[in-house]
Amino acid sequence: MLTVDQAREQLLAAARRITETETLALNDALGRVLATDVVSTLAVPGFDNSAMDGYALNVADFSAPTAFRVVQRIAAGDTGSALAPGEAARIFTGAPVPEGSNAVAMQEDCNVETTTLTVNTRLQPGQHIRRRGEDVQQGAVVIQAGTRLGAAELGLLAAVGVGQVAVVRKLRVALLSTGNELVEPGSPLAPAQIYNSNRYALSALLREAGCIVDDLGIVPDQFAATRDILADAAATHDVVLSTGGVSVGEEDHVKAAVESLGALSLWKIAIKPGKPFACGRIGDADFIGLPGNPVSSFVTFIVFVRPFLAARTGRDAPEPAIRVPAGFTIERAGNRREYLRARLVDGRVVLFPNQSSGVLTSVVWADGLVIVPEAATVREGDPVDFLPLATLN
Amino acid sequence: MLTVDQAREQLLAAARRITETETLALNDALGRVLATDVVSTLAVPGFDNSAMDGYALNVADFSAPTAFRVVQRIAAGDTGSALAPGEAARIFTGAPVPEGSNAVAMQEDCNVETTTLTVNTRLQPGQHIRRRGEDVQQGAVVIQAGTRLGAAELGLLAAVGVGQVAVVRKLRVALLSTGNELVEPGSPLAPAQIYNSNRYALSALLREAGCIVDDLGIVPDQFAATRDILADAAATHDVVLSTGGVSVGEEDHVKAAVESLGALSLWKIAIKPGKPFACGRIGDADFIGLPGNPVSSFVTFIVFVRPFLAARTGRDAPEPAIRVPAGFTIERAGNRREYLRARLVDGRVVLFPNQSSGVLTSVVWADGLVIVPEAATVREGDPVDFLPLATLN
């Protein structure tokens, strides 16, 4: 039996980083992984500028307030000329302060009579002036390779004048479900059949993780069909992800099919939910087999597959757990690490009443997963690790 | 001066919920907002079934363990026939337990000699049997209208047999930037010019919020051009979002242009960063004007625009703040509510050193925003509200 940490470590060690990149315009790069460090060729801001609408001043003596003579007007996009002591320039937010400026007064604090300006407040040297390079220094690495590009990152790339970026190509993932009992939603159910829910949840999780997903549907519980589909999928994808068919039951053909085509390890991992987990290789593709229970496949995706996919694109994607007080007591957990479906209520995490791995409503209800360490006792009020599901994009 | 809460309340009260829907296959519905409650027409699971690979048993007396006779074999997807007392059925995870079953024994706990089975552990009534309706009861509302459909929701819809869902149509948003000083990344900068970063950050924020974005680029600081572009944008979009041009400076033509076409309120909101905020109407479209500073536009988008857009699609999207200990001291905040760029480090929030609204690197660095209430004093270790940026999809 592997611990969660051992299993994740082995999996990440086996993740081959893909090196193909593509160059995209900024608006097309949302959610993508930056391929190379971006170094700024310029300082941001590129010039000392006004943080306010008001007046740029050349103050001769900050201890003795005086009147200023307004000699010019500088809008954003304009440049002014140097101010002599006692001179002022009408200025707007973002406009360059002229040479000689040593403070900006907000217009709300100013009285102007024709060209004579008085300031109602005490002036501080440098006030309301944003300095060149305050945000980004020329030559600085603004975003590192391996970073997922969100809204702020795209804004910063634009701010340093970068209009196109090299990003890692998307992973191509083939998704398979196995099980004679599975029926597609929208079709009628015969006795003993169930609807295939993993297919839809995992396709969404994969897309949220930035992958191109080819959903190959349900393969029957037959060795030859399973093998043929796996071979085709492996030839055209980086990763083949399957659910069901990896337990020790006699009805599982996926194990034999993968072994006939490549190599497979069946791991027993000390995790709840989600014990059976398979990983291996078919040609140049990774194979990952998740449990068939919908909650188990969801949790094992988050705990193992998501970091594995991130590592393949060179992205660092740790579990962003936060520590919060428990709103429950567990007298002594089992010897597996448990990922319980939970919600934050008034600053404490509370558990969904039914933590069975068959109960998908628990995941819909949950804001996140409480991580209960192996054999731990948790008492109400103890700090526990909570993994918000919304942070996993 | 409006408080943040007053401004948000007024804005949400003015949000007209759009009623047009479209029907999508589950795989196309990721990230969309459910238009109507979904009621399950079936129970999930639909039948009592085995939680394990092993043997379904009809135990005559739980206090006196005995041997069982294996009389049948039930794979997932098969149905069995009733078990008499003392009989067992080979069974696999998810398969229906036959009538008469009152426990399932895991195969690891069983010894089988030809057709005689003995169980090594003490049996509990009902063990390893998942009951019909344990996950979803027939007739239950499984997902409510207004819910954003993530991976778990799509899985649950599939589990209850729903293959298509009615979702609210996407909002169409026109995005405009104003400012003579703005230049597109990739082009050279003249003196006093800066690159337009808001355009890229806001386009990404809007798309992450589920909108269709038409980026209309930079409009010059001229009244007529601004008015014409605003009129065209309003005719074909639900919302027109503009950055820059809403401060009290003389150089702002957006205010006059919106007023000439419809109605505009200029709000002074007690928020830092982000004071100038404009909202109004042009024909049937909402107009929102954000500050031009990149950090101010980012923060005001999150605090005001995102909940407004959510309300227009009927989605409830509260600020998902968590309470964590401060890793900093603020002796007495100003009279505006502050949203400081921060990170969680060892369970405490620490601040980016430069909180100027011009410093976009602060947002890239940050995991989230610390919310410091108006005029509050925060001492190291005090609990503060922290809004993780990753939870805002």
Side-chain angles (χ1 to χ4, degrees), chain A residues 282-309:
Chain A
I282 305 172
D284 203 38
D286 297 302
F287 172 83
I288 297 177
L290 298 181
N293 279 325
V295 181
S296 301
S297 64
F298 197 98
V299 168
T300 50
F301 183 93
I302 287 169
V303 177
F304 300 114
V305 181
R306 184 181 161 275
F308 176 77
L309 298 171

mmCIF file of all heavy atoms in Angstrom, chain A residues 282-309:
data_model
loop_
_atom_site.group_PDB
_atom_site.id
_atom_site.type_symbol
_atom_site.label_atom_id
_atom_site.label_comp_id
_atom_site.label_asym_id
_atom_site.label_seq_id
_atom_site.Cartn_x
_atom_site.Cartn_y
_atom_site.Cartn_z
ATOM 1 N N ILE A 282 1.400 3.179 -22.759
ATOM 2 C CA ILE A 282 1.094 2.472 -24.004
ATOM 3 C C ILE A 282 1.822 3.255 -25.078
ATOM 4 O O ILE A 282 1.416 4.367 -25.420
ATOM 5 C CB ILE A 282 -0.416 2.442 -24.300
ATOM 6 C CG1 ILE A 282 -1.203 1.845 -23.132
ATOM 7 C CG2 ILE A 282 -0.690 1.692 -25.599
ATOM 8 C CD1 ILE A 282 -2.718 1.974 -23.287
ATOM 9 N N GLY A 283 2.914 2.687 -25.603
ATOM 10 C CA GLY A 283 3.727 3.440 -26.556
ATOM 11 C C GLY A 283 4.204 4.720 -25.908
ATOM 12 O O GLY A 283 4.770 4.699 -24.813
ATOM 13 N N ASP A 284 3.942 5.838 -26.559
ATOM 14 C CA ASP A 284 4.426 7.109 -26.045
ATOM 15 C C ASP A 284 3.376 7.800 -25.147
ATOM 16 O O ASP A 284 3.594 8.912 -24.683
ATOM 17 C CB ASP A 284 4.789 8.029 -27.223
ATOM 18 C CG ASP A 284 5.792 9.089 -26.794
ATOM 19 O OD1 ASP A 284 6.695 8.755 -25.997
ATOM 20 O OD2 ASP A 284 5.653 10.248 -27.229
ATOM 21 N N ALA A 285 2.250 7.161 -24.957
ATOM 22 C CA ALA A 285 1.181 7.783 -24.160
ATOM 23 C C ALA A 285 1.201 7.257 -22.735
ATOM 24 O O ALA A 285 1.546 6.101 -22.475
ATOM 25 C CB ALA A 285 -0.180 7.507 -24.795
ATOM 26 N N ASP A 286 0.822 8.130 -21.796
ATOM 27 C CA ASP A 286 0.592 7.686 -20.426
ATOM 28 C C ASP A 286 -0.797 7.075 -20.331
ATOM 29 O O ASP A 286 -1.742 7.559 -20.957
ATOM 30 C CB ASP A 286 0.647 8.883 -19.465
ATOM 31 C CG ASP A 286 2.013 9.531 -19.453
ATOM 32 O OD1 ASP A 286 2.993 8.829 -19.153
ATOM 33 O OD2 ASP A 286 2.090 10.735 -19.772
ATOM 34 N N PHE A 287 -0.906 6.039 -19.528
ATOM 35 C CA PHE A 287 -2.231 5.494 -19.217
ATOM 36 C C PHE A 287 -2.515 5.719 -17.741
ATOM 37 O O PHE A 287 -1.665 5.456 -16.893
ATOM 38 C CB PHE A 287 -2.306 3.997 -19.520
ATOM 39 C CG PHE A 287 -3.590 3.389 -19.034
ATOM 40 C CD1 PHE A 287 -4.741 3.471 -19.804
ATOM 41 C CD2 PHE A 287 -3.667 2.783 -17.783
ATOM 42 C CE1 PHE A 287 -5.938 2.959 -19.347
ATOM 43 C CE2 PHE A 287 -4.865 2.266 -17.308
ATOM 44 C CZ PHE A 287 -6.003 2.355 -18.095
ATOM 45 N N ILE A 288 -3.708 6.230 -17.454
ATOM 46 C CA ILE A 288 -4.142 6.351 -16.061
ATOM 47 C C ILE A 288 -5.533 5.757 -15.951
ATOM 48 O O ILE A 288 -6.426 6.092 -16.742
ATOM 49 C CB ILE A 288 -4.159 7.821 -15.588
ATOM 50 C CG1 ILE A 288 -2.738 8.404 -15.631
ATOM 51 C CG2 ILE A 288 -4.733 7.933 -14.172
ATOM 52 C CD1 ILE A 288 -2.671 9.873 -15.258
ATOM 53 N N GLY A 289 -5.701 4.847 -15.002
ATOM 54 C CA GLY A 289 -7.007 4.234 -14.783
ATOM 55 C C GLY A 289 -7.540 4.629 -13.423
ATOM 56 O O GLY A 289 -6.904 4.391 -12.397
ATOM 57 N N LEU A 290 -8.694 5.278 -13.427
ATOM 58 C CA LEU A 290 -9.301 5.736 -12.179
ATOM 59 C C LEU A 290 -10.408 4.786 -11.747
ATOM 60 O O LEU A 290 -10.963 4.053 -12.565
ATOM 61 C CB LEU A 290 -9.887 7.143 -12.371
ATOM 62 C CG LEU A 290 -8.901 8.251 -12.734
ATOM 63 C CD1 LEU A 290 -9.642 9.583 -12.859
ATOM 64 C CD2 LEU A 290 -7.813 8.356 -11.685
ATOM 65 N N PRO A 291 -10.763 4.823 -10.468
ATOM 66 C CA PRO A 291 -11.875 3.992 -9.992
ATOM 67 C C PRO A 291 -13.185 4.387 -10.688
ATOM 68 O O PRO A 291 -13.320 5.486 -11.198
ATOM 69 C CB PRO A 291 -11.959 4.302 -8.500
ATOM 70 C CG PRO A 291 -10.844 5.202 -8.166
ATOM 71 C CD PRO A 291 -10.171 5.647 -9.408
ATOM 72 N N GLY A 292 -14.128 3.468 -10.691
ATOM 73 C CA GLY A 292 -15.408 3.719 -11.345
ATOM 74 C C GLY A 292 -16.402 4.513 -10.515
ATOM 75 O O GLY A 292 -17.304 5.158 -11.069
ATOM 76 N N ASN A 293 -16.248 4.483 -9.195
ATOM 77 C CA ASN A 293 -17.171 5.272 -8.375
ATOM 78 C C ASN A 293 -16.992 6.752 -8.683
ATOM 79 O O ASN A 293 -15.865 7.246 -8.707
ATOM 80 C CB ASN A 293 -16.871 5.084 -6.882
ATOM 81 C CG ASN A 293 -17.478 3.818 -6.346
ATOM 82 O OD1 ASN A 293 -18.557 3.409 -6.770
ATOM 83 N ND2 ASN A 293 -16.778 3.174 -5.437
ATOM 84 N N PRO A 294 -18.089 7.470 -8.882
ATOM 85 C CA PRO A 294 -17.948 8.857 -9.320
ATOM 86 C C PRO A 294 -17.206 9.754 -8.330
ATOM 87 O O PRO A 294 -16.435 10.616 -8.736
ATOM 88 C CB PRO A 294 -19.387 9.325 -9.528
ATOM 89 C CG PRO A 294 -20.267 8.316 -8.881
ATOM 90 C CD PRO A 294 -19.512 7.037 -8.845
ATOM 91 N N VAL A 295 -17.403 9.559 -7.055
ATOM 92 C CA VAL A 295 -16.695 10.400 -6.088
ATOM 93 C C VAL A 295 -15.217 10.017 -6.050
ATOM 94 O O VAL A 295 -14.329 10.870 -5.981
ATOM 95 C CB VAL A 295 -17.323 10.298 -4.681
ATOM 96 C CG1 VAL A 295 -16.577 11.196 -3.709
ATOM 97 C CG2 VAL A 295 -18.791 10.660 -4.732
ATOM 98 N N SER A 296 -14.945 8.713 -6.149
ATOM 99 C CA SER A 296 -13.552 8.254 -6.141
ATOM 100 C C SER A 296 -12.813 8.783 -7.357
ATOM 101 O O SER A 296 -11.653 9.216 -7.256
ATOM 102 C CB SER A 296 -13.504 6.727 -6.154
ATOM 103 O OG SER A 296 -14.181 6.201 -5.034
ATOM 104 N N SER A 297 -13.447 8.761 -8.518
ATOM 105 C CA SER A 297 -12.740 9.238 -9.712
ATOM 106 C C SER A 297 -12.533 10.744 -9.629
ATOM 107 O O SER A 297 -11.492 11.259 -10.032
ATOM 108 C CB SER A 297 -13.478 8.838 -10.989
ATOM 109 O OG SER A 297 -14.736 9.454 -11.060
ATOM 110 N N PHE A 298 -13.504 11.456 -9.066
ATOM 111 C CA PHE A 298 -13.378 12.909 -8.915
ATOM 112 C C PHE A 298 -12.205 13.243 -7.979
ATOM 113 O O PHE A 298 -11.349 14.068 -8.293
ATOM 114 C CB PHE A 298 -14.691 13.471 -8.355
ATOM 115 C CG PHE A 298 -14.868 14.957 -8.512
ATOM 116 C CD1 PHE A 298 -15.609 15.477 -9.560
ATOM 117 C CD2 PHE A 298 -14.306 15.843 -7.617
ATOM 118 C CE1 PHE A 298 -15.780 16.847 -9.718
ATOM 119 C CE2 PHE A 298 -14.453 17.210 -7.756
ATOM 120 C CZ PHE A 298 -15.203 17.719 -8.813
ATOM 121 N N VAL A 299 -12.183 12.598 -6.840
ATOM 122 C CA VAL A 299 -11.144 12.905 -5.838
ATOM 123 C C VAL A 299 -9.768 12.482 -6.342
ATOM 124 O O VAL A 299 -8.788 13.233 -6.228
ATOM 125 C CB VAL A 299 -11.481 12.243 -4.483
ATOM 126 C CG1 VAL A 299 -10.277 12.307 -3.535
ATOM 127 C CG2 VAL A 299 -12.691 12.923 -3.854
ATOM 128 N N THR A 300 -9.662 11.303 -6.929
ATOM 129 C CA THR A 300 -8.340 10.869 -7.392
ATOM 130 C C THR A 300 -7.878 11.727 -8.577
ATOM 131 O O THR A 300 -6.677 11.939 -8.753
ATOM 132 C CB THR A 300 -8.314 9.372 -7.772
ATOM 133 O OG1 THR A 300 -9.400 9.088 -8.647
ATOM 134 C CG2 THR A 300 -8.407 8.517 -6.526
ATOM 135 N N PHE A 301 -8.815 12.238 -9.362
ATOM 136 C CA PHE A 301 -8.413 13.184 -10.407
ATOM 137 C C PHE A 301 -7.732 14.390 -9.774
ATOM 138 O O PHE A 301 -6.651 14.808 -10.196
ATOM 139 C CB PHE A 301 -9.622 13.645 -11.245
ATOM 140 C CG PHE A 301 -9.215 14.554 -12.379
ATOM 141 C CD1 PHE A 301 -8.946 14.039 -13.630
ATOM 142 C CD2 PHE A 301 -9.055 15.922 -12.178
ATOM 143 C CE1 PHE A 301 -8.522 14.861 -14.676
ATOM 144 C CE2 PHE A 301 -8.630 16.752 -13.206
ATOM 145 C CZ PHE A 301 -8.367 16.212 -14.459
ATOM 146 N N ILE A 302 -8.383 14.943 -8.759
ATOM 147 C CA ILE A 302 -7.847 16.158 -8.133
ATOM 148 C C ILE A 302 -6.516 15.902 -7.438
ATOM 149 O O ILE A 302 -5.584 16.698 -7.535
ATOM 150 C CB ILE A 302 -8.892 16.731 -7.156
ATOM 151 C CG1 ILE A 302 -10.032 17.352 -7.972
ATOM 152 C CG2 ILE A 302 -8.275 17.737 -6.199
ATOM 153 C CD1 ILE A 302 -11.229 17.722 -7.160
ATOM 154 N N VAL A 303 -6.424 14.762 -6.755
ATOM 155 C CA VAL A 303 -5.241 14.509 -5.939
ATOM 156 C C VAL A 303 -4.056 14.024 -6.783
ATOM 157 O O VAL A 303 -2.912 14.372 -6.504
ATOM 158 C CB VAL A 303 -5.574 13.496 -4.818
ATOM 159 C CG1 VAL A 303 -4.336 13.143 -3.998
ATOM 160 C CG2 VAL A 303 -6.682 14.042 -3.920
ATOM 161 N N PHE A 304 -4.323 13.271 -7.825
ATOM 162 C CA PHE A 304 -3.214 12.685 -8.596
ATOM 163 C C PHE A 304 -3.143 13.166 -10.051
ATOM 164 O O PHE A 304 -2.078 13.536 -10.525
ATOM 165 C CB PHE A 304 -3.319 11.147 -8.592
ATOM 166 C CG PHE A 304 -3.266 10.552 -7.229
ATOM 167 C CD1 PHE A 304 -4.361 9.900 -6.683
ATOM 168 C CD2 PHE A 304 -2.107 10.657 -6.462
ATOM 169 C CE1 PHE A 304 -4.311 9.366 -5.412
ATOM 170 C CE2 PHE A 304 -2.050 10.117 -5.185
ATOM 171 C CZ PHE A 304 -3.159 9.476 -4.666
ATOM 172 N N VAL A 305 -4.268 13.150 -10.751
ATOM 173 C CA VAL A 305 -4.214 13.391 -12.198
ATOM 174 C C VAL A 305 -3.934 14.855 -12.495
ATOM 175 O O VAL A 305 -3.113 15.187 -13.351
ATOM 176 C CB VAL A 305 -5.533 12.944 -12.878
ATOM 177 C CG1 VAL A 305 -5.443 13.174 -14.390
ATOM 178 C CG2 VAL A 305 -5.811 11.484 -12.567
ATOM 179 N N ARG A 306 -4.606 15.734 -11.770
ATOM 180 C CA ARG A 306 -4.424 17.161 -12.027
ATOM 181 C C ARG A 306 -2.955 17.588 -11.853
ATOM 182 O O ARG A 306 -2.385 18.219 -12.748
ATOM 183 C CB ARG A 306 -5.355 17.947 -11.096
ATOM 184 C CG ARG A 306 -5.323 19.429 -11.324
ATOM 185 C CD ARG A 306 -6.258 20.132 -10.348
ATOM 186 N NE ARG A 306 -5.889 21.516 -10.274
ATOM 187 C CZ ARG A 306 -4.950 21.988 -9.477
ATOM 188 N NH1 ARG A 306 -4.308 21.185 -8.660
ATOM 189 N NH2 ARG A 306 -4.649 23.261 -9.495
ATOM 190 N N PRO A 307 -2.304 17.231 -10.728
ATOM 191 C CA PRO A 307 -0.882 17.589 -10.635
ATOM 192 C C PRO A 307 -0.019 16.895 -11.687
ATOM 193 O O PRO A 307 0.966 17.480 -12.155
ATOM 194 C CB PRO A 307 -0.475 17.145 -9.218
ATOM 195 C CG PRO A 307 -1.680 16.589 -8.561
ATOM 196 C CD PRO A 307 -2.852 16.688 -9.468
ATOM 197 N N PHE A 308 -0.398 15.685 -12.084
ATOM 198 C CA PHE A 308 0.363 14.987 -13.124
ATOM 199 C C PHE A 308 0.262 15.737 -14.453
ATOM 200 O O PHE A 308 1.273 15.962 -15.136
ATOM 201 C CB PHE A 308 -0.162 13.549 -13.282
ATOM 202 C CG PHE A 308 0.490 12.779 -14.387
ATOM 203 C CD1 PHE A 308 1.761 12.255 -14.229
ATOM 204 C CD2 PHE A 308 -0.166 12.588 -15.599
ATOM 205 C CE1 PHE A 308 2.371 11.555 -15.267
ATOM 206 C CE2 PHE A 308 0.435 11.889 -16.633
ATOM 207 C CZ PHE A 308 1.716 11.368 -16.471
ATOM 208 N N LEU A 309 -0.936 16.136 -14.835
ATOM 209 C CA LEU A 309 -1.124 16.878 -16.085
ATOM 210 C C LEU A 309 -0.379 18.206 -16.028
ATOM 211 O O LEU A 309 0.243 18.639 -17.006
ATOM 212 C CB LEU A 309 -2.619 17.123 -16.336
ATOM 213 C CG LEU A 309 -3.496 15.881 -16.504
ATOM 214 C CD1 LEU A 309 -4.964 16.278 -16.532
ATOM 215 C CD2 LEU A 309 -3.115 15.107 -17.765
#
